[in-house]
Structures are given as C-alpha cells and as structure tokens.
Amino acid sequence: MTMPMPASGWDTAGAVLLVLWAVAMWTAVGVLALANRRPVRRWVYRGSVAVIGLGVLGQLGHVQEHVAQAGYWLGHPNSPAWMTPWGAGLAAGLQQVLPGRPTFGMELLHLTGNFLFLAGLAGVMVITRHAARTRTRRWAKMGVWMQGLHGLEHLVLTLSIGFGAPRAIGLSTFFGLVDPGPGLTTYRVWWHFVANVVGSIIFGLALYHLWRERREVRATFVLRPLPAVTGRAA
C-alpha cells in the first residue's frame, strides 16, 4: 500500500471523528444488547435501527475505497496500491498515532472501517434477538461470522505494524513472507475487494429480509397485555 501523505488539520479532525464514530457505535451496540435481555423496551428497536443505518453508511464509504483500489489496479496492475484522496487523508490523520510505523495509519483506517461494518451487522442481530427464526437473523448471523473473521484479519495486520513488524502480517499478505511488489499488491487488493463485496452482499440480503419481515420483528418489541384473571380468589 502507498504511504500516507502528511496530515492536515482536516485530516486529523476526520480521523478523530471516524474513531469516535466507531467507538460510539460499539458503545451503542453494547447498551442495546444488554437492554434487550430484559423486558421489552421499545427504544431498543429504534436504537438498533439507528445503529444499522450508521453501519450502512460506514460500509458504503468503506467498500467504495476497495472498489476504487480494484479499479485503479485494472489500469495499473504493476503499480503500488492506490488510495482515494479522502482515504489517504484519513490514513494520514490516523498515522499520527504511531508516526514511526509506516502504513500504520492505512491499516488502522481499514480496521476502523471494518468495525463500523461489523457494528451494523451486530445491530441486525440485536433487533432480531426475539425473532430468531427469521431469515433476517440467519443472514445477519452469517455476516457477523464472516465479517468477524475479516475484522480479525485487519486487527492482526494493524497490530503487526503497531508492534514493529517491517510488513503487515496476515492471510492477505502471505503472513509477511512475500516481498512487496506487484504480486503481493495484486493478491492483497483483490483479497480485500472480494471479502468486502461478499460481506456487503450478505449485509444487503439481511437488510432486504429485515424490510420484508419488519412487522414480525417489530412485533417482538410490543408489550403484550397480561391475560385477564377470571373467577374469585379462594
């Protein structure tokens, strides 16, 4: 991957806001999941919808970066991997966390993007907790497993650079055993492109079924009146 450019004030602000966005989403997921274990609370439904919507926005921004990288590769297969200007700017802002670790900002950017995506899928799991037999939940569970593994890959890549490895170590980099060059770039660009496109399709199918099953899902958040007691007490 290409080295990030020097960070501007806007780059720093954008990086801080991106991290806060991810932290806020996972805080919300934790609160909603905990509240959903207790008697029905309607605000959990609305909160889960908000988390899902923010997850969609986050993944749209994330996946377009991978689509752009794959598109650039098609025209420049022997060049170093490319990042969009906004992606490069955010990476530069995040790079300030560890300025002495080249590519750390880029790795942290993609890790954060994957966490936003995973939070959106987790929101679908929360909203369908009491609708376990729906297709929505089955697709969301599949997405959480796949995206969880993908997020773990990005966590390993980020930590390897953060702890001083000369190259990121993970499945998408041949565990750092292959020297940088067109071969490694091609493998990594298309590895993450495929993972994100497949994950986005699964997320989209979960949302499609959530829309179709919205009445069934919403009904699980409606308080039902207790049955009337008939007869006299003994």
Side-chain angles (χ1 to χ4, degrees):
M1 296 292 177
T2 55
M3 294 288 291
M5 58 187 178
S8 67
W10 287 109
D11 296 336
T12 302
V16 170
L17 289 175
L18 184 68
V19 172
L20 290 177
W21 179 5
V23 170
M25 284 190 67
W26 276 104
T27 301
V29 167
V31 171
L32 292 168
L34 182 62
N36 210 22
R37 293 179 177 274
R38 299 174 183 177
V40 175
R41 286 174 166 80
R42 295 180 182 177
W43 62 267
V44 173
Y45 177 84
R46 295 190 294 271
S48 299
V49 170
V51 167
I52 294 167
L54 289 171
V56 171
L57 289 177
Q59 180 57 8
L60 286 174
H62 181 207
V63 77
Q64 65 80 32
E65 183 73 20
H66 287 284
V67 170
Q69 288 181 351
Y72 182 86
W73 181 93
L74 290 174
H76 310 82
N78 295 315
S79 299
W82 175 80
M83 297 182 70
T84 61
W86 46 88
L90 289 171
L94 293 169
Q95 182 66 38
Q96 296 176 86
V97 176
L98 286 176
R101 300 281 190 269
T103 75
F104 178 80
M106 182 272 295
E107 299 293 357
L108 184 56
L109 172 64
H110 284 286
L111 174 65
T112 306
N114 276 276
F115 275 13
L116 290 173
F117 183 16
L118 185 57
L121 284 163
V124 182
M125 291 294 289
V126 172
I127 207 173
T128 58
R129 183 175 187 273
H130 302 292
R133 296 185 178 180
T134 58
R135 291 186 176 182
T136 304
R137 188 168 181 85
R138 288 198 293 271
W139 281 104
K141 186 180 294 184
M142 185 188 306
V144 166
W145 273 104
M146 178 181 177
Q147 188 56 29
L149 293 173
H150 189 194
L152 182 61
E153 165 73 4
H154 276 286
L155 180 61
V156 171
L157 293 171
T158 304
L159 290 177
S160 62
I161 291 295
F163 283 110
R167 292 189 292 272
I169 298 172
L171 288 171
S172 59
T173 62
F174 291 109
F175 298 101
L177 299 176
V178 178
D179 292 332
L184 181 60
T185 296
T186 298
Y187 175 68
R188 182 166 186 182
V189 165
W190 288 100
W191 196 100
H192 289 288
F193 172 80
V194 171
N196 275 280
V197 169
V198 172
S200 297
I201 291 172
I202 293 174
F203 193 15
L205 286 168
L207 296 176
Y208 168 74
H209 287 294
L210 179 59
W211 175 253
R212 293 193 62 183
E213 298 171 331
R214 62 190 182 279
R215 292 182 179 86
E216 180 180 350
V217 173
R218 190 185 299 120
T220 64
F221 290 88
V222 177
L223 287 170
R224 293 175 175 79
L226 295 174
V229 178
T230 58
R232 297 182 177 179

